[in-house]
């Protein structure tokens, strides 16, 4: 059978199996479609539903059943609705005709999650995966891969849950073949034929003819003794949801418990409990399964109590956490760079080893876990670095700088400019005073990036003045804007803006430095002390700060942000 005919057959059997329309509900106003691979209409996008508060505490990733798209979850489940009300971002991915995580899904899901992490600034340790039917199998298998190969996958899953998922491909195949031979249920016969056609079309084999292909995709083995891939979920909260309505199976399908998905998942949960996973649960309900069209069916999204499930996730996230705003017993508070320092006053006399005759003043403002900040004032001077050893982000408060990269045009920077001189720079660097002394604030990474220098990023870059002025900002969520201005070997520069807001910072922040461009910022530490900053202030937020974030502005609060580049992302 060719693929065109197979697709028609698949749609027909999907209708018979799911008994719901294939068309999807129109997304609401708060649903954003984000395309990360324009060449893949099915797997190259995700739907994002941010929390109504715009404060993201965790991320919920949901997968629909076999033959379905991301949009179908909006129709069939209310999970995203309760997540939206509880500071949880929901991401919806399409599964298409994939019953588990094959090479295509591995690549596209990883690409999509990396995109979401960058777009929304997500905490990689606070991801929860969930799915219905084959989507549950995909959730389970991808969570295992993330734990087994943490360096290859973008997140560290906190939890995973499945709604009536067939978690053992081989057991599911054998069950379908048995029911087909018995011939007691036409629906079961159709389903067996349908799945066999899918397997042969996409993999050129079945679990019976090529075990190796399907073993790579399988998440659990019911028949094998001992511990298998479930060992990777020892420290992950796992829930298996089932509507255990045995009378329905007997009367509607002529099937006993031995043919059910919950027979296998109950053994999965049992083995996890034996491994010491206290957060492994078999969640049983009775007659809770109904399709979106109102038809009774235990194989449905509705077997998950959406409100209770989100409360369960919330419990995993926050109830057991204690707020901490201290590092090694010391309260972490934000720091303002004083106007006197920016003006070149109250500084220490310094000496340059390469230019001992040069008159130089400096003040070390901050030496942190990730970033170092220094104010430098020097007389007119020039140097010719070869292969500069670090990224240096600079803000000129007086005078100018003339940089002449080797074999490139001269670049001029003046008071008020933000610019990057990257690691690997080779050329002439001249500082020009006004009239005699040049002042700058310098930000560098506290640690060197071990990755090799990118030859395409060896030239100075002026930050986009149009963006800094608040023009053409990129909207990433309701009331939030963000533009990546530069990613260097060791430093990453972003322009961020938001409508005035009040947010609780429950997850201690990574180290960052802000320059307030518009509006005001108030950071309240956990002892209740308010630290206020206004337009023109440099704000240093040390690693580990948590508390309350309050912004005010006529329209948008806007700030330039400097952070350490994550070595693995460069």
């Amino acid at each position: 059978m060719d693929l065109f005919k197979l697709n028609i057959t698949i749609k027909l059997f999907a209708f018979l199996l799911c008994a719901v329309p294939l068309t999807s509900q129109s997304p609401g106003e708060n649903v954003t479609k984000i395309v990360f691979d324009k060449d893949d209409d099915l797997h190259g996008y995700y739907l994002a539903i941010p929390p109504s508060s715009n404060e993201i505490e965790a991320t919920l990733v949901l997968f629909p059943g076999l033959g379905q798209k991301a949009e179908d979850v909006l129709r069939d489940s209310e999970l995203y609705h309760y997540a939206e009300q509880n500071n949880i971002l929901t991401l919806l991915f399409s599964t298409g005709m994939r019953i588990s995580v094959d090479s295509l899904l591995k690549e596209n899901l990883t690409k999509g999650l990396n995109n979401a992490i960058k777009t929304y600034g997500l905490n990689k340790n606070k991801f929860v995966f969930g799915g219905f039917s084959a989507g549950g199998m995909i959730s389970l298998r991808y969570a295992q891969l993330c734990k087994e190969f943490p360096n290859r996958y973008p997140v560290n899953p906190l939890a995973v849950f499945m709604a009536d998922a067939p978690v053992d491909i081989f057991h599911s195949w054998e069950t379908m073949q048995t029911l087909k031979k018995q011939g007691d249920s036409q629906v079961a016969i159709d389903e067996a034929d349908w799945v066999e056609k899918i397997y042969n079309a996409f993999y050129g084999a079945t679990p019976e003819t090529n075990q190796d292909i399907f073993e790579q995709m399988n998440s659990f083995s019911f028949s094998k003794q001992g511990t298998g891939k479930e060992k990777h979920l020892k420290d992950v909260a796992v829930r298996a949801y089932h509507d255990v309505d045995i009378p329905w199976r007997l009367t509607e399908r002529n099937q006993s418990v031995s043919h059910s998905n919950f027979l296998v998942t109950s053994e999965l949960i049992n083995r996890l409990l034996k491994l010491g996973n206290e957060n492994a649960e078999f969640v049983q309900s009775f007659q809770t399964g109904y399709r979106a069209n109102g038809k009774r069916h235990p194989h449905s999204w509705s077997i998950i109590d959406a409100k209770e499930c989100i409360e369960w996730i919330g419990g995993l996230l926050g109830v057991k956490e204690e707020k901490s705003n201290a590092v090694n017993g010391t309260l972490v508070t934000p720091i303002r760079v004083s106007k006197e320092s920016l003006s070149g006053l109250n500084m220490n006399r310094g000496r340059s080893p390469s230019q001992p005759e040069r008159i130089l003043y400096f003040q070390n403002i901050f030496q942190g876990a990730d970033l170092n900040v220094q104010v430098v004032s020097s007389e007119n001077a020039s140097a010719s670095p070869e292969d500069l050893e670090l990224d240096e982000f600079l803000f000129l408060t007086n005078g100018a700088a003339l940089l002449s990269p080797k074999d490139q045009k001269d670049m001029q920077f003046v008071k008020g400019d933000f610019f990057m001189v990257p690691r690997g720079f080779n050329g002439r660097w001249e500082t020009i005073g006004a009239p005699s002394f040049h002042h700058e604030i310098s930000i560098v990474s506290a640690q060197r990036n071990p990755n090799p220098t990118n030859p395409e990023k060896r030239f100075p870059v002026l930050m986009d003045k149009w963006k800094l002025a608040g023009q053409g900002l990129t909207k990433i969520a309701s009331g939030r804007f963000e533009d990546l201005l530069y990613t260097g070997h060791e430093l990453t520069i972003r322009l961020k803006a938001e409508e005035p807001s009040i947010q609780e910072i429950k997850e201690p922040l990574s180290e960052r430095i802000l320059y307030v461009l518009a509006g005001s910022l108030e950071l309240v530490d956990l002892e209740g002390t308010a630290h206020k900053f206004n337009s023109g202030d440099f704000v240093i937020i040390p690693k580990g700060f948590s508390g309350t974030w309050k912004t005010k502005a006529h329209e948008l609060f806007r700030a330039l942000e400097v952070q350490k580049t994550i070595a693995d992302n460069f």
Side-chain angles (χ1 to χ4, degrees):
M1 177 179 287
D2 63 40
L3 283 178
F4 175 75
K5 292 179 180 178
L6 173 63
N7 285 335
I8 296 175
T9 306
I10 284 171
K11 288 180 180 179
L12 174 61
F13 284 124
F15 180 85
L16 292 173
L17 183 66
C18 297
V20 291
L22 288 174
T23 56
S24 300
Q25 161 182 317
S26 299
E29 293 182 1
N30 204 32
V31 180
T32 302
K33 181 176 182 179
I34 297 179
V35 178
F36 57 86
D37 185 350
K38 59 182 177 57
D39 296 324
D40 190 336
D41 293 337
L42 180 60
H43 299 290
Y45 76 96
Y46 60 86
L47 301 181
I49 308 164
S52 53
S53 66
N54 291 322
E55 179 184 350
I56 300 172
E57 294 185 10
T59 304
L60 174 62
V61 183
L62 296 177
F63 301 96
L66 187 63
Q68 294 187 312
K69 298 178 68 175
E71 289 80 358
D72 293 308
V73 181
L74 297 170
R75 175 197 62 213
D76 296 335
S77 173
E78 292 186 330
L79 282 163
Y80 74 93
H81 173 67
Y82 290 102
E84 187 180 19
Q85 298 175 7
N86 287 275
N87 298 335
I88 297 175
L89 170 72
T90 302
L91 305 178
L92 310 178
F93 287 83
S94 298
T95 52
M97 295 302 159
R98 263 60 187 184
I99 196 145
S100 186
V101 182
D102 58 10
S103 57
L104 175 72
L105 272 190
K106 279 182 192 176
E107 179 181 353
N108 283 281
L109 183 52
T110 299
K111 197 183 297 183
L113 290 175
N114 275 322
N115 178 281
I117 290 167
K118 278 190 175 182
T119 301
Y120 292 97
L122 304 177
N123 185 330
K124 300 178 182 182
N125 296 313
K126 292 192 174 182
F127 269 73
V128 176
F129 293 101
F132 162 63
S133 193
M137 172 70 144
I138 290 168
S139 299
L140 194 70
R141 183 67 188 123
Y142 194 80
Q144 289 174 338
L145 290 168
C146 290
K147 300 299 286 188
E148 185 177 2
F149 304 107
N151 294 328
R152 300 184 196 174
Y153 293 89
V155 301
N156 178 29
L158 176 72
V160 60
F161 62 89
M162 307 85 68
D164 200 35
V167 298
D168 183 345
I169 291 177
F170 296 97
H171 185 272
S172 178
W173 169 260
E174 292 168 1
T175 297
M176 285 189 287
Q177 296 306 305
T178 298
L179 292 172
K180 179 180 176 181
K181 290 176 182 177
Q182 291 176 352
D184 295 326
S185 169
Q186 188 59 45
V187 172
I189 295 171
D190 293 340
E191 182 181 3
D193 289 340
W194 176 46
V195 172
E196 184 172 359
K197 288 182 175 72
I198 292 172
Y199 284 162
N200 282 315
F202 287 96
Y203 308 114
T206 68
E208 188 176 352
T209 60
N210 192 328
Q211 292 189 8
D212 291 342
I213 291 176
F214 292 90
E215 180 56 40
Q216 294 177 27
M217 296 186 284
N218 203 28
S219 61
F220 178 70
S221 176
F222 180 70
S223 61
K224 291 181 180 178
Q225 299 298 315
T227 304
K229 295 174 185 176
E230 64 272 13
K231 66 184 177 183
H232 302 299
L233 300 174
K234 179 179 180 295
D235 299 316
V236 178
V238 180
R239 273 189 170 187
Y241 288 88
H242 295 279
D243 179 352
V244 187
D245 188 350
I246 298 172
W248 185 94
R249 302 188 67 86
L250 292 171
T251 57
E252 297 293 329
R253 294 291 186 267
N254 295 314
Q255 297 173 10
S256 67
V257 172
S258 63
H259 304 125
S260 66
N261 289 330
F262 60 77
L263 176 72
V264 180
T265 53
S266 62
E267 179 58 24
L268 166 65
I269 299 300
N270 184 46
R271 293 188 194 176
L272 287 171
L273 290 170
K274 288 180 177 180
L275 286 170
N277 187 338
E278 296 179 356
N279 289 313
E281 300 178 63
F282 184 93
V283 183
Q284 174 180 315
S285 64
F286 180 65
Q287 296 186 348
T288 56
Y290 287 88
R291 294 285 166 80
N293 60 4
K295 185 174 181 180
R296 170 81 182 102
H297 203 306
H299 189 65
S300 303
W301 268 108
S302 68
I303 66 175
I304 296 177
D305 182 334
K307 183 174 182 294
E308 190 279 334
C309 183
I310 297 301
E311 289 173 350
W312 168 67
I313 294 172
L316 295 172
L317 288 168
V319 172
K320 297 178 182 178
E321 292 183 355
E322 293 183 2
K323 286 187 177 180
S324 175
N325 200 37
V327 175
N328 296 327
T330 303
L331 185 70
V332 179
T333 59
I335 302 165
R336 175 190 288 105
V337 179
S338 72
K339 299 297 185 183
E340 289 81 7
S341 296
L342 292 175
S343 301
L345 304 177
N346 302 323
M347 304 179 74
N348 304 309
R349 182 69 184 264
R351 181 177 180 274
S352 171
S354 60
Q355 296 176 315
E357 72 284 356
R358 178 183 177 189
I359 300 176
L360 175 71
Y361 296 89
F362 73 97
Q363 184 178 11
N364 290 324
I365 304 295
F366 177 72
Q367 292 181 305
D370 297 331
L371 301 169
N372 293 335
V373 183
Q374 186 180 63
V375 177
V376 178
S377 178
S378 75
E379 63 178 351
N380 298 345
S382 64
S384 299
E386 293 184 5
D387 197 22
L388 190 68
E389 64 179 9
L390 48 71
D391 276 354
E392 187 171 12
F393 183 71
L394 297 153
F395 174 62
L396 294 185
T397 60
N398 191 55
L402 176 65
L403 282 89
S404 305
K406 186 177 181 180
D407 301 324
Q408 298 287 323
K409 293 182 179 180
D410 291 351
M411 304 180 70
Q412 296 179 347
F413 304 93
V414 298
K415 177 184 175 181
D417 282 348
F418 293 91
F419 63 102
M420 173 72 76
V421 183
R423 191 176 87 183
F425 171 76
N426 186 358
R428 181 178 174 81
W429 186 339
E430 182 178 0
T431 57
I432 305 169
S436 302
F437 277 83
H438 158 103
H439 307 316
E440 67 185 25
I441 183 166
S442 167
I443 302 173
V444 300
S445 173
Q447 298 175 342
R448 302 285 70 81
N449 185 336
N451 289 342
T453 300
N454 183 342
E456 296 181 359
K457 292 194 173 184
R458 302 177 69 173
F459 307 108
V461 176
L462 176 68
M463 297 301 104
D464 189 337
K465 291 187 176 182
W466 189 250
K467 293 287 187 182
L468 294 177
Q471 305 301 308
L473 303 183
T474 302
K475 187 174 184 179
I476 62 169
S478 177
R480 291 179 58 209
F481 303 79
E482 183 175 318
D483 285 279
L484 179 64
L485 301 182
Y486 185 82
T487 300
H489 302 279
E490 297 172 346
L491 298 175
T492 295
I493 318 300
R494 294 182 177 87
L495 189 286
K496 292 188 174 182
E498 65 178 42
E499 294 176 357
S501 69
I502 300 177
Q503 303 175 47
E504 290 296 321
I505 304 172
K506 296 181 179 179
E507 179 71 17
L509 292 177
S510 57
E511 203 154 86
R512 64 199 65 199
I513 295 167
L514 305 179
Y515 179 79
V516 181
L517 293 161
S520 66
L521 169 65
E522 181 178 321
L523 296 173
V524 182
D525 62 41
L526 291 183
E527 288 191 351
T529 303
H531 307 265
K532 298 181 180 180
F533 309 92
N534 297 303
S535 180
D537 282 342
F538 269 97
V539 186
I540 300 170
I541 304 179
K543 182 178 181 180
F545 175 82
S546 57
T548 304
W549 166 289
K550 300 180 181 180
T551 56
K552 295 180 181 179
H554 179 62
E555 290 182 288
L556 294 177
F557 168 81
R558 193 168 73 255
L560 184 76
E561 180 188 75
V562 182
Q563 284 188 288
K564 183 182 78 171
T565 297
I566 299 174
D568 291 341
N569 290 346
F570 179 72

